[in-house]
Structures are given as structure tokens and as C-alpha cells.
């Protein structure tokens, strides 16, 4: 009888889902219009947030062919600031060609200049930004000394600070700042001739540093040796104990644990490599891989921009661009923001921007950042010349792995406490690595939450379900892992 009841419940789910919109999904809150009023003005490679709807984007125009050979010689490279932005408002002046001004739309030879007294450095081959807790924005620049340049965003515009740091003779690409002010920067290319592809510097507010001293550079407090390949993404947990790296050539995400004082070692328990069939379809081409990264402290989550890098025209990755979120402990995919499919749903095309400010168009996701107070994700569209803000219409949850020991079978356990108000814990076992979903339905079969939608490795897990905003009553939670399915009942009492 019990199996028959569960079968009836599952059938009712299928029938009811066809008539109800899903909740707990990602959607674009807005995209800056690609025009002279509020647009970035050209190809946009990165965004860094300093608060809700306050961010700086960087334009790095595509170099001449062959692109990758000329990657660090862009015909235009400048910053664009936004303060209290939406799709049509918020753009503020930036230091471009020696003046505090707005960029001219679709024009070469526009370059941001960092200045401090008589000291001057011009942006050159800079693709990525990061921000700290003080409204400062850090640029991984590729002038002769490969400086980290520090700017500040206010409601009046983007301005230079007195801080910069020379990093050496290698091209740098990815950059991040932790909550303690340490600055992490990664070389674009790793090889056997060096052992310091990742460099960690004491922050600009740390005593005894040389930030801003003309012609002086500090030694990193620690470094990490990376193997041969290209690295286009770097992020770090707020406390600096975990570094995540996009091994773009290997299509993998790597993790290093430690701290700036004692150094870092590779975390062998963290594993993620893109599947061979995770490729571009729908008429596109190229090889998608992991690019820019971001870290959200609560709940702990790693976000990764995943796309082909600097593809050209309709033969590139417009139908593909997306953002993956990862469990930072073991590397399981928690969720996917399918930017390309959103763009197609809004505009009817993979290569068109929307007129209502809800899609940037020409999907080309090179970087990603998170704004913690709103738990919002910001990204850019390189060929759509825009910044996009993505929001989740529920509460982000963390999936915690309790143990990585191999369970005897797949199982879904009874939630506790039960009855509950307003939150409860759901535990489950994954016998083999699988794509896993954990979904919540009400008594009439409407999906009210998706707690998990991604790949998990073998082990025992728990998830917290927060029912704030839901009414009292019976709810069902359903676990799907490959061919395994299980449903259990729980009671919310308020």
C-alpha cells in the first residue's frame, strides 16, 4: 500500500508540474543597456561589485588576429563605474585618456590611466577585476611591470588611489582579495620555468608594505606552483583558507588549502573536471571551459563562469554561456545559471540583446562576481557589451557532506525535526557519483523549492530546508540520483 501511495504522489507531481511555474530559480534582474546612455561601450570582460547595484566593469577590446598571440595588446582598455545602477541608469565617470569622463561608445584607443602624483600607469591587456571591503577595485594589469592597480568607486566616479604593486615579468590575469585584505593574483600561463604562478601579497592596509611606493615591489607572502597550462580564474574563501583556480586548459577546477602565513597545498579531496560531452551545441562551436570565479561565504559556494574564451561571431559560444555553482568542500555542481537559454527565452535568439533590460545578448560569460548582502550574482557579456545582475527567487542553501565514506546503498532519511518551524534538516546517502536533485513539493504537487540540482560525489550529505514564507501543512521532499528516486513526507506547523 505504501508503494502505491508514493506512486500516486509521483504521478500527481508530474501532472501538477505542467500547470505551475517553478520557484527557486535564477533570473536576470537587469542588464545594462548596450547604448551610449548606460552601456559599457565595448567588449566587457569582467565586473567587480562593491555593494548592491554598485560595481566596476572593465572593457578589454579584442586584439588583432591571431587573438591569443596578441591578447595583452588591446586596442582599448578602460574601466566603467556604476553607482545605484539598473538597466538604464547608474554609469559614473572614469579616468580615461587623462580625463575623468564617460567612455565614447564603440571607439578604439580609450585607456584608463592610474595616476598618483607624477606616477602613472596605463591599462594594457587588463581583463579581470576584484574588490575589497572598502570600495576599492584591483586590476590585474599587464604594463611592463605587470602591476596590480588599485582604484576606488564612489557615487562621483572611479578614481585612482595611491596604491599599486609590481608583480614581475609574467602576464597576469585572474585576481582576488580576501576579507583580511590579502591580494591574490594568478599568471595567465603556467610552465616548468617558474614556481610562483599564484602570488599572495599582504594588503594595502597591512603595516610595512610598499603599495604605492614608486619603483618598489614587495615579495609575495607566499606562492603556489601550477603546472603547464592557462589559468583564467581565481577566487578565495573570505578567511583565506581555500583558494580555487580555473585550470582552463584542463577544463578543471582545483582547490588549495592553507593560509597566507603557512602556505597552501593541493586538496586531493576536491575534484571537478568538465565532462567530455559538456560542449557547445545549437549551431555554436569552440570548447567551453572554466573561466572567472567568485566565492560566496554564506552559504559557502563557488561560482564559475563557463564558456569559450574570446570566440568570434556566430561561430562561437553564444548558445552555451552559463554559470556553475559548486560545493566548495568536494567540488560537486550545485546549480546552473544557463545565461544563454535565458537570453534565448527573452529575445528568441542567442545573439540579440533585449529591449526591456532583462538580457544582455550575445552570451559570452568570461567572469562572475557575487554581492554578499543580496546574494546576487553579477556577470558580463563580452560580445553583448553589458553587465548582468542575476538573482535567486528563493533562499540559497548549502549542501554539506557529512562523510565521504561509501554508503551501502542510496537512501533518503526522514527529516528532523518533524514537525518543524521554520527549518528542518534532510539527510541522504549517495552510493555512486551521480547527478542529484532534491526538491520540495506542497500537498497538491506544486514545486516550492529546489535544494540541489547538480553532481555529487559518493558520501553522506545533509541539506537545510528553510520554509519561511510557506504556509503550514504537509510537504513532500523528493530525492533523485540517477535511477534512484525516493519521496518522504514532512509537516510544517506555524
Amino acid at each position: 500500500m505504501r508503494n502505491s501511495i508514493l506512486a500516486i504522489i509521483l504521478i500527481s507531481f508530474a501532472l501538477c508540474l505542467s500547470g505551475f511555474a517553478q520557484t527557486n530559480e535564477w533570473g536576470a534582474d537587469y542588464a545594462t543597456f548596450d547604448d551610449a546612455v548606460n552601456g559599457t561601450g565595448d567588449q566587457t570582460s569582467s565586473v567587480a561589485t562593491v555593494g548592491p547595484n554598485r560595481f566596476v566593469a572593465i572593457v578589454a577590446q579584442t586584439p588583432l588576429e591571431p587573438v591569443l598571440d596578441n591578447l595583452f595588446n588591446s586596442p582599448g582598455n578602460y574601466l566603467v563605474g556604476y553607482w545605484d545602477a539598473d538597466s538604464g541608469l547608474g554609469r559614473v565617470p572614469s579616468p580615461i585618456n587623462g580625463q575623468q569622463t564617460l567612455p565614447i561608445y564603440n571607439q578604439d584607443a580609450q585607456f584608463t590611466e592610474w595616476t598618483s602624483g607624477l606616477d602613472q600607469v596605463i591599462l594594457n591587456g587588463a581583463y579581470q577585476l576584484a574588490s575589497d571591503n572598502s570600495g576599492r577595485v584591483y586590476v590585474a594589469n599587464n604594463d611592463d611591470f605587470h602591476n596590480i592597480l588599485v582604484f576606488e568607486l564612489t557615487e562621483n566616479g572611479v578614481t585612482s588611489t595611491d596604491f599599486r604593486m609590481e608583480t614581475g615579468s609574467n602576464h597576469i590575469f585572474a585576481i582576488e582579495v580576501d576579507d583580511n585584505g590579502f591580494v591574490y593574483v594568478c599568471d595567465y600561463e603556467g610552465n616548468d620555468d617558474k614556481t610562483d604562478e599564484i602570488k599572495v601579497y599582504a594588503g594595502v592596509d597591512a603595516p610595512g608594505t610598499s603599495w604605492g611606493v614608486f619603483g618598489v615591489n614587495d615579495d609575495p607572502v607566499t606562492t603556489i606552483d601550477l603546472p603547464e597550462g592557462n589559468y583564467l580564474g581565481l577566487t578565495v574563501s573570505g578567511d583565506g583558507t581555500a583558494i580555487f583556480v580555473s585550470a582552463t586548459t584542463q577544463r578543471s577546477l582545483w582547490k588549495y588549502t592553507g593560509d597566507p602565513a603557512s602556505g597552501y597545498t593541493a586538496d586531493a579531496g576536491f575534484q571537478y573536471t568538465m565532462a567530455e560531452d559538456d560542449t557547445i551545441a545549437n549551431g555554436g562551436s569552440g570548447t567551453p571551459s572554466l573561466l572567472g570565479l567568485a566565492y560566496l561565504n554564506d552559504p559557502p559556494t563557488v561560482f564559475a563562469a563557463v564558456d569559450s574564451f574570446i570566440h568570434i561571431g556566430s561561430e562561437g559560444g553564444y548558445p552555451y554561456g552559463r554559470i556553475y555553482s559548486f560545493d566548495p568542500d568536494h567540488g560537486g555542481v550545485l546549480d546552473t545559471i544557463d545565461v544563454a537559454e535565458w537570453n534565448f527565452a527573452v529575445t528568441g535568439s542567442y545573439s540579440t540583446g533585449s529591449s526591456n533590460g532583462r538580457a544582455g545578448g550575445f552570451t559570452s560569460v568570461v567572469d562572475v562576481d557575487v554581492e554578499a548582502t543580496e546574494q546576487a550574482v553579477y556577470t558580463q557579456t563580452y560580445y553583448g557589451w553589458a553587465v548582468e545582475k542575476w538573482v535567486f527567487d528563493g533562499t540559497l542553501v548549502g549542501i554539506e557532506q557529512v562523510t565521504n565514506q561509501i554508503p551501502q546503498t542510496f537512501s533518503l532519511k526522514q527529516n528532523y525535526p518533524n514537525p518543524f518551524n521554520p527549518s528542518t534538516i534532510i539527510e541522504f546517502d549517495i552510493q555512486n557519483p551521480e547527478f542529484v536533485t532534491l526538491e520540495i513539493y506542497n500537498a497538491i504537487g506544486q514545486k516550492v523549492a529546489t535544494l540541489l540540482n547538480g553532481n555529487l560525489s559518493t558520501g553522506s550529505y545533509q541539506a537545510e530546508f528553510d520554509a519561511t514564507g510557506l504556509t503550514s501543512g504537509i510537504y513532500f521532499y523528493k530525492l533523485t540520483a540517477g535511477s534512484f528516486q525516493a519521496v518522504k513526507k514532512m509537516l510544517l506547523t506555524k
Side-chain angles (χ1 to χ4, degrees), residues 4 13 103 121 127 142 147 150 153 201 208 223 228 245 251 286 331 363 380-381 386 431-432 477:
S4 297
F13 285 161
V121 180
Y127 283 86
N142 285 292
N147 273 280
V150 187
L153 175 66
Y201 293 93
T223 62
E228 183 176 349
V245 183
R251 305 183 78 210
T363 305
Q380 45 56 247
T381 166
Q431 186 181 32
N432 303 309
Y477 55 103

Side-chain angles (χ1 to χ4, degrees), residues 428-462:
F428 55 95
D429 294 330
I430 302 300
Q431 186 181 32
N432 303 309
E434 287 287 358
F435 187 88
V436 181
T437 60
L438 179 58
E439 300 163 319
I440 312 296
Y441 297 87
N442 63 19
I444 62 173
Q446 292 172 300
K447 185 191 293 187
V448 298
T450 300
L451 303 188
L452 172 63
N453 183 40
N455 295 298
L456 287 184
S457 57
T458 299
S460 298
Y461 293 83
Q462 67 177 26

Side-chain angles (χ1 to χ4, degrees), residues 475-489:
Y475 291 85
F476 298 90
Y477 55 103
K478 175 187 173 185
L479 179 73
T480 303
S483 61
F484 173 81
Q485 283 193 347
V487 177
K488 288 187 179 295
K489 181 172 69 174

Side-chain angles (χ1 to χ4, degrees), residues 105-179:
Y105 186 80
N106 191 22
Q107 179 171 299
D108 291 349
Q110 295 184 100
F111 293 91
T112 286
E113 297 178 3
W114 176 94
T115 58
S116 176
L118 298 178
D119 194 6
Q120 181 187 74
V121 180
I122 297 175
L123 256 64
N124 181 31
Y127 283 86
Q128 206 171 101
L129 307 169
S131 60
D132 64 11
N133 295 326
S134 303
R136 292 184 288 237
V137 174
Y138 298 69
V139 180
N141 196 47
N142 285 292
D143 56 273
D144 290 343
F145 301 99
H146 305 278
N147 273 280
I148 301 169
L149 304 175
V150 187
F151 296 82
E152 184 177 17
L153 175 66
T154 70
E155 60 185 322
N156 297 315
V158 181
T159 57
S160 301
T161 69
D162 292 327
F163 306 119
R164 70 173 177 88
M165 179 66 67
E166 299 174 3
T167 66
S169 59
N170 292 292
H171 289 123
I172 55 178
F173 196 96
I175 188 167
E176 189 61 283
V177 185
D178 72 17
D179 291 346

Side-chain angles (χ1 to χ4, degrees), residues 13 30 147 188 201 247 280 299 309-310 337 364 392 398 426 475 479:
F13 285 161
Y30 63 79
N147 273 280
Y188 169 72
Y201 293 93
I280 297 172
F309 179 60
I310 313 293
I337 305 175
S364 36
F392 192 70
I426 299 171
Y475 291 85
L479 179 73

